[in-house]
Amino acid sequence: TSARRFSITLDHGGDVRMMRVLSLAIANNAYEDESRFGFARPRLDQGHLAVYASRHATGWALAGSLVRAIFGTWKGDPLIWQLKTTGFTLRTRSSTLTISNDGEVERLETPLHYGILPRALKILVPA
């Protein structure tokens, strides 16, 4: 089957954005602007969510963007819409949506409500 674009409405703090996207990814903290190979996050404690929406028309165009990501030049793609936020609501016309949540692809019921609790996770680090 071919990839098809779908409509989303993203509301983050009163700023509402409507767009047609080919794919959508949500990450805990943003990826580096330029990395030597693929996607890298220098820190996981910055206290924000990063939203990446592909507005490419075809799966081939998106694949080209992913190839550029391997070489660290994906953020220059004008068809990748990006947002850093602490919370948002995502709506679609469909009752479910396939989405990448921090690298895990899931099919979830909509609307989706995202929020982040900075420094809420306590971890033990060896001395």
Side-chain angles (χ1 to χ4, degrees):
T1 67
S2 63
R4 293 197 176 129
R5 295 192 320 165
F6 54 95
S7 296
I8 64 167
T9 302
L10 195 141
D11 181 345
H12 61 103
D15 183 14
V16 178
R17 172 91 47 159
M18 295 168 48
M19 67 182 90
R20 290 189 51 78
V21 300
L22 189 61
S23 67
L24 197 60
I26 314 302
N28 179 13
N29 298 289
Y31 292 102
E32 284 185 326
D33 288 339
E34 295 179 22
S35 70
R36 293 187 182 152
F37 188 77
F39 301 103
R41 288 179 283 188
R43 299 186 58 159
L44 295 176
D45 63 352
Q46 293 176 325
H48 64 262
L49 297 166
V51 180
Y52 301 99
S54 163
R55 297 179 296 138
H56 297 89
T58 67
W60 287 109
L62 177 57
S65 183
L66 293 174
V67 168
R68 286 190 298 280
I70 292 171
F71 298 103
T73 60
W74 69 280
K75 280 211 171 179
D77 188 334
L79 295 177
I80 300 286
W81 181 80
Q82 304 165 52
L83 170 70
K84 287 183 188 177
T85 184
T86 56
F88 64 93
T89 298
L90 179 66
R91 292 180 174 80
T92 65
R93 292 180 187 157
S94 173
S95 62
T96 61
L97 176 65
T98 301
I99 191 168
S100 173
N101 283 310
D102 224 17
E104 299 293 327
V105 177
E106 301 176 86
R107 186 156 195 86
L108 302 171
E109 291 183 12
T110 61
L112 299 172
H113 305 282
Y114 283 84
I116 193 162
L117 300 171
R119 304 195 182 279
L121 178 64
K122 304 294 182 198
I123 59 171
L124 299 175
V125 179

